[in-house]
Amino acid sequence: MVLTRLRLGLLERDLAFRFGVSVSTVSRTFMKWINYMYLRLGSLPIWPSWDDVASSRPQCFRDTYPTTYMIIDCTELRVEVPASLSLQTQCYSQYKSHTTQKCLIAISANGCIIFASDLYTGSISDRAVVLDSGILPLLKSVPTSKSVMADRGFEIQDLLVPYGLLLNIPPFRGKDGTLPEQAVKETQQVARVRIHVERVIGQLKRSFRVLQGVMPVSLFGSVNQTWLVCCMLVNFKGPVINEENQVQCLRILLHICR
């Protein structure tokens, strides 16, 4: 029942009809099992070592950005408009023109999700999410001189300096609003590999329709659990970057989860 709801995004009344139970039974069962899966899957050690990342990264990273440890990005999930006016303001996203909840996701160079934050109100900045998510202390285990790749909105170089890490982001436009030729080439080069985090997010939302539409109020009490469980389950589908590396990446995922 729980997996059906995650996969198809069905409402409680629909599930009650399909399984021949009451709506309250569906609600109780979902809450019980999503919390159990959250605790079990959330305890898996998915944060890889540098050796794991280096041995499974695809050729596109080996050729252009060999020091990349992870790629980070934020995504937003649309939610029903809260009754509280203050919450409406906090959850409203200018980017989506809707009330949303924002979350940080990090993938390794091989395309596996290695970190997923809790959900925050849609108006929060990317930098604030990074600061509050708990990902920074995890960087202590990453060797110095390695790098983190992100979009322009992640102005977090100063946050990485204490860990001896670099930030790879596309160049900013000059004062005249244009990019020099070299900067254009660099932007295209970063985009070719950074797009993989968007592909992973796309795979995640396509795999679990509960994340696609407007999340109903009935899920607000378990939205963080639902998000993390979906992120963990999608890892077992294998990475999206390079099919020839899928077997090797899955072996590494199983190895670090032992």
Side-chain angles (χ1 to χ4, degrees), residues 2 16 18 30 32 58 62 66 73 109 120 124 129 139 176 190 196 206:
V2 174
R18 290 170 184 253
F30 183 82
K32 177 180 179 179
R62 298 177 191 270
D73 199 7
Y120 298 86
I124 193 172
V129 174
L139 298 178
D176 58 354
V190 172
H196 295 311
R206 287 192 304 272

Side-chain angles (χ1 to χ4, degrees), residues 8 48 61-62 88 94 114 126 135 157 176 197 204 235 238:
L8 302 179
F61 281 96
R62 298 177 191 270
Q88 288 181 27
Q94 296 289 344
I114 61 173
D126 294 343
I135 194 173
Q157 179 63 69
D176 58 354
V197 70
L204 175 61
N235 267 349

